[in-house]
């Protein structure tokens, strides 16, 4: 642990509360549950295809058309848990929100200037929230940043029993063209951590969850650590040394009060771009010399930008439940000897799976890390 | 946990307004924002020179997000030959890119949080307080960006040369050491 992280541990002390995740749900155009995705990922590769549109097809339907479906799924999912929303703040997280609606609203004569907060209010209204809505847009770490914010709300507002986090980002033509302009997209398959990776695939997804303070042992997944760090090196490219990500992970470990050796699984951001994967690989190899199994989901699901963090955390819950780590779809041969990526077949490690580290990184140099723990058995 | 709000000091508050045209908001690079960022950087560097940037976060709230960049990118997405013309324009369509640019200038390596706001101008400040109270931070730079929406053009024509006043308010919030006996300037 670095000197800074040690100082942080000393400053913060041990965690004073346990926060559990309830009502965790996801939506993608193809999959309606994390269990369904998990099962698919654990299936032999020849039987499945990725769920995103290839970037080489510029005439693919505009993913923004699926916003009504996403909103309906979010509303149904949140209401389905029958949780009292009257005293539950909502943190809505998205990198771009419903950008097509935003631009259309802007072009209507006399219309108000739209923004992401409008999307957040729309979601809150649909789901039945009457509480304050916080709208976060921190690029591709948005939903993990929202989890950090929710943790802090629970830590500083003792009268607030729970906080909702909702996230959504869709593969709109706007976003697809943007990543094409950056030449950051793979022509066909996204291959995280593969020696021949050629870029990301833009995906679509939404997720929702409730964070609750808990003093009793439960069967729910706990968030035991969280942290955020900024590279401050470049606006779009990650810090090659991974300074921000390393800082975020070290904070998360310090909050959790556990050594790096206690991490059982690394659930990477894994965009499949040369720079991101190289940066993550460097940080993971440095901080986790015990080489815990590494997995990632964007090879199958694509990159749903700000929503990807929470969506993939739902898969982490499946890993904890099934004690099985799905392989990285699209990965054939890695060029990172310091990593232990799960390739080809799902892995059931000898060591019990209790803790998973989920990370995310985004434009602007933002990074976030969340550590979750499953119930003891 | 009982938060100790009395230990947060707001050391400095600085507000300035800048007028520019709606059309200028669409231009890349956006000189008005660069100018504003430059002013803030100078001021913050002087104010926050002694602060450990690792324990410092940046909290940015805006009621416009990146709407001007969004529209400009949408209009320039493909040229006549179907090419995608402006990678830098796409980068600017993220609401978090302006705070990121400022964090880069200032060398801030703590959390950089970007909020989209409407009626709640203290959202960024509230978040900063939470990070100061229960996170690892000892300092937070809070920036609220407001545009007077009623002054925005657009009732008949979306492209007139008319003025928009944008107000940017900066705060430096500092968490006092636990043994400090200073009183807070505002809580």
């Amino acid at each position: 642990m670095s000197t800074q992280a040690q100082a942080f541990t000393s400053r913060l002390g041990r965690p004073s509360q346990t926060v559990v995740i309830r009502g965790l749900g996801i939506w993608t155009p193809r999959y309606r549950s994390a269990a369904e995705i998990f099962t698919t990922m654990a299936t032999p590769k020849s039987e499945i295809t990725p769920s995103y549109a290839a970037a080489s097809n510029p005439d693919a339907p505009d993913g923004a058309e699926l916003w009504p479906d996403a909103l309906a799924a979010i509303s149904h999912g949140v209401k389905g848990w029958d949780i009292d929303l009257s005293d539950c703040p909502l943190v809505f997280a998205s990198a771009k929100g419903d950008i097509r609606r935003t631009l259309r609203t802007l072009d209507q004569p006399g219309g108000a200037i739209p923004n992401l907060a409008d999307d957040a209010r729309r979601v809150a209204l649909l789901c039945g929230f009457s509480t304050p809505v916080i709208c976060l847009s921190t690029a591709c770490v948005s939903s993990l940043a929202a989890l950090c914010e929710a943790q802090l709300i629970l830590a500083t507002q003792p009268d607030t029993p729970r906080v909702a986090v909702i996230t959504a980002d869709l593969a709109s033509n706007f976003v697809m063209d943007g990543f094409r302009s950056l030449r950051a997209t793979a022509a066909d398959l996204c291959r995280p951590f593969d020696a021949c990776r050629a870029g990301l695939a833009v995906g679509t997804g939404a997720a929702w969850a409730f964070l609750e303070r808990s003093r009793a042992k439960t069967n729910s997944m706990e968030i035991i650590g969280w942290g955020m760090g900024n590279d401050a090196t470049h606006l779009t490219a990650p810090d090659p040394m991974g300074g921000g990500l390393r800082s975020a992970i070290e904070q998360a470990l310090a909050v959790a009060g556990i050594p790096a050796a206690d991490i059982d699984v690394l659930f990477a951001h894994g965009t499949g771009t040369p720079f991101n994967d190289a940066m993550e690989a460097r940080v993971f190899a440095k901080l986790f010399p015990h080489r815990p199994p590494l997995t990632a989901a964007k090879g199958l699901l694509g990159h749903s930008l700000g929503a990807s963090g929470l969506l993939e955390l739902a898969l982490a819950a499946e890993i904890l439940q099934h004690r099985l780590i799905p392989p990285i779809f699209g990965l054939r041969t890695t060029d990172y000897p310091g990593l232990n990526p799960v390739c080809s077949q799902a892995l059931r490690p000898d060591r019990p799976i209790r803790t998973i580290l989920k990370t995310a990184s985004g434009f602007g140099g933002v990074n976030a890390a969340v550590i979750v723990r499953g119930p003891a058995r | 946990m009982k938060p100790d709000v009395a230990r947060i000091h707001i050391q400095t508050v600085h507000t300035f307004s800048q007028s520019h045209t709606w059309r200028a908001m669409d231009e890349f690079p956006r000189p008005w924002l660069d100018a504003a960022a430059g002013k803030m950087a100078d001021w913050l560097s002087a104010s926050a020179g002694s602060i450990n940037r690792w324990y410092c976060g940046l909290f940015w709230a805006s009621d416009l997000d990146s709407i001007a960049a969004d529209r400009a990118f949408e209009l320039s997405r493909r040229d006549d030959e179907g090419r995608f013309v402006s990678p830098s324009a796409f980068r600017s369509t993220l609401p978090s890119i302006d705070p990121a640019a400022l964090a880069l200038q200032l060398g801030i390596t703590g959390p950089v949080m970007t909020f989209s706001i409407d009626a709640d101008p203290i959202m960024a400040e509230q978040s900063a307080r939470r990070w100061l109270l229960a996170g690892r931070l000892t300092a937070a730079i809070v920036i609220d960006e407001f545009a007077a929406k009623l002054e925005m053009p657009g009732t008949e024509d979306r492209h007139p040369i008319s003025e928009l006043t944008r107000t940017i308010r900066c705060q430096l919030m500092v968490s006092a050491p636990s043994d400090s006996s200073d009183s807070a300037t505002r809580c």
Side-chain angles (χ1 to χ4, degrees):
Chain A
M1 187 180 290
S2 72
T3 306
Q4 288 174 321
Q6 286 171 355
F8 170 48
T9 307
S10 168
R11 171 180 153 72
L12 197 68
R14 296 301 297 271
S16 57
Q17 62 175 0
T18 300
V19 172
V20 299
I21 299 184
R22 284 183 62 204
L24 181 54
I26 66 102
W27 170 88
T28 75
R30 183 183 292 180
Y31 304 107
R32 299 295 186 266
S33 71
E36 199 180 341
I37 298 173
F38 181 82
T39 303
T40 303
M41 288 179 76
T43 304
K45 285 179 187 175
S46 58
E47 299 176 19
I48 56 175
T49 55
S51 64
Y52 48 80
S56 55
N57 177 13
D59 298 321
D62 188 348
E65 292 174 4
L66 295 175
W67 263 100
D69 294 355
L71 291 176
I74 291 168
S75 173
H76 182 74
V78 168
K79 290 175 178 172
W81 289 92
D82 196 25
I83 289 174
D84 180 10
L85 304 180
S86 62
D87 53 1
C88 179
L90 167 63
V91 185
F92 177 76
S94 180
K96 281 311 295 174
D98 189 351
I99 183 60
R100 196 170 69 161
R101 184 198 62 83
T102 299
L103 290 167
R104 285 178 177 172
T105 306
L106 185 65
D107 285 336
Q108 288 170 2
I113 303 297
N115 65 6
L116 264 169
D118 297 336
D119 292 335
R121 271 194 307 279
R122 195 157 55 128
V123 168
L125 195 64
L126 271 173
C127 296
F129 288 92
S130 56
T131 43
V133 181
I134 296 169
C135 181
L136 254 174
S137 182
T138 310
C140 298
V141 311
S142 293
S143 59
L144 289 194
L147 290 177
C148 295
E149 195 68 26
Q151 288 270 353
L152 287 165
I153 292 172
L154 290 174
T156 56
Q157 298 177 200
D159 297 333
T160 300
R162 67 186 64 84
V163 180
V165 174
I166 296 177
T167 184
D169 263 309
L170 277 64
S172 63
N173 282 348
F174 183 99
V175 171
M176 293 281 277
D177 280 351
F179 280 108
R180 284 192 193 107
S181 78
L182 290 168
R183 301 183 188 277
T185 49
D188 52 1
L189 283 182
C190 168
R191 300 184 181 280
F193 298 101
D194 191 89
C196 298
R197 67 190 181 279
L200 58 79
V202 182
T204 286
W208 52 91
F210 292 90
L211 273 62
E212 289 187 346
R213 201 179 292 109
S214 174
R215 290 187 175 81
K217 282 191 175 180
T218 73
N219 288 325
S220 301
M221 180 169 74
E222 291 177 39
I223 295 182
I224 60 170
W226 48 271
M228 288 186 68
N230 188 49
D231 290 342
T233 53
H234 194 275
L235 277 184
T236 49
D239 173 6
M241 304 304 290
L245 179 61
R246 178 172 176 163
S247 169
I249 292 171
E250 288 183 333
Q251 288 164 50
L253 290 167
V255 170
I258 61 173
D262 280 6
I263 295 294
D264 298 318
V265 178
L266 300 173
F267 202 135
H269 191 46
T271 59
T273 60
F275 291 134
N276 175 83
D277 290 6
M279 180 274 289
E280 279 193 289
R282 176 185 285 264
V283 172
F284 290 153
K286 179 78 176 174
L287 291 182
F288 302 98
H290 63 298
R291 299 175 72 228
L294 169 80
T295 192
K298 292 183 178 67
L300 178 68
L301 302 175
H303 187 355
S304 53
L305 308 182
S308 64
L310 185 57
L311 198 155
E312 291 165 15
L313 208 61
L315 296 176
E318 295 295 320
I319 293 173
L320 288 169
Q321 181 183 341
H322 296 281
R323 301 192 166 198
L324 187 69
I325 308 167
I328 300 174
F329 185 81
L331 174 61
R332 296 167 299 193
T333 308
T334 190
D335 52 351
Y336 295 114
L339 299 183
N340 182 20
V342 183
C343 188
S344 302
Q345 289 187 325
L347 174 69
R348 192 180 297 280
D350 297 333
R351 168 176 159 161
I353 300 173
R354 286 285 328 266
T355 57
I356 298 177
L357 171 71
K358 176 77 199 91
T359 59
S361 303
F363 272 12
V366 286
N367 300 270
V370 168
I371 300 172
V372 291
R373 183 167 63 193
R377 296 185 185 180
Chain B
M1 173 179 181
K2 188 174 173 59
D4 186 0
V5 294
R7 293 202 356 249
I8 293 179
H9 298 229
I10 297 180
Q11 284 198 338
T12 323
V13 177
H14 180 77
T15 303
F16 65 90
S17 296
Q18 194 164 25
S19 295
H20 53 84
T21 65
W22 172 245
R23 179 164 291 171
M25 290 176 69
D26 291 350
E27 292 173 353
F28 296 99
R30 289 175 283 163
W32 63 271
L33 182 63
D34 289 344
K39 278 187 180 181
M40 283 187 281
D42 291 345
W43 173 73
L44 292 170
S45 294
S47 301
S50 61
I51 288 173
N52 183 335
R53 308 299 168 95
W54 200 77
Y55 291 108
C56 183
L58 178 66
F59 300 80
W60 175 293
S62 170
D63 63 357
L64 278 180
D65 299 344
S66 53
I67 189 67
D70 291 342
R71 191 179 68 163
F73 180 71
E74 178 68 7
L75 293 174
S76 68
R77 243 178 343 132
R78 301 183 192 203
D79 63 11
D80 293 340
E81 296 176 3
R83 291 174 302 201
F84 311 111
V85 293
S86 181
S88 64
F90 177 61
R91 165 182 94 181
S92 299
T93 65
L94 281 172
S96 56
I97 211 70
D98 290 338
L102 188 59
L104 181 57
Q105 286 189 42
L106 299 171
I108 301 295
T109 55
V112 177
M113 306 289 269
T114 308
F115 300 90
S116 177
I117 58 171
D118 185 19
D120 187 359
I122 59 169
M123 196 173 283
E125 181 182 323
Q126 288 173 333
S127 176
R129 285 179 183 279
R130 286 192 280 268
W131 280 86
L132 288 166
L133 290 168
R136 70 181 175 96
L137 300 186
T138 57
I141 293 164
V142 179
I143 297 176
D144 297 300
E145 179 193 40
F146 308 102
K149 289 189 177 181
L150 291 176
E151 296 175 33
M152 293 289 279
T155 49
E156 314 83 18
D157 180 354
R158 280 285 164 185
H159 304 276
I161 304 292
S162 57
E163 283 207 339
L164 165 74
T165 298
R166 176 174 295 239
T167 301
I168 295 173
R169 183 185 65 177
C170 311
Q171 299 178 79
L172 177 61
M173 300 171 68
V174 179
S175 174
S178 56
D179 57 351
S180 169
S181 58
D182 294 346
S183 60
T185 53
R186 200 179 84 191
C187 296

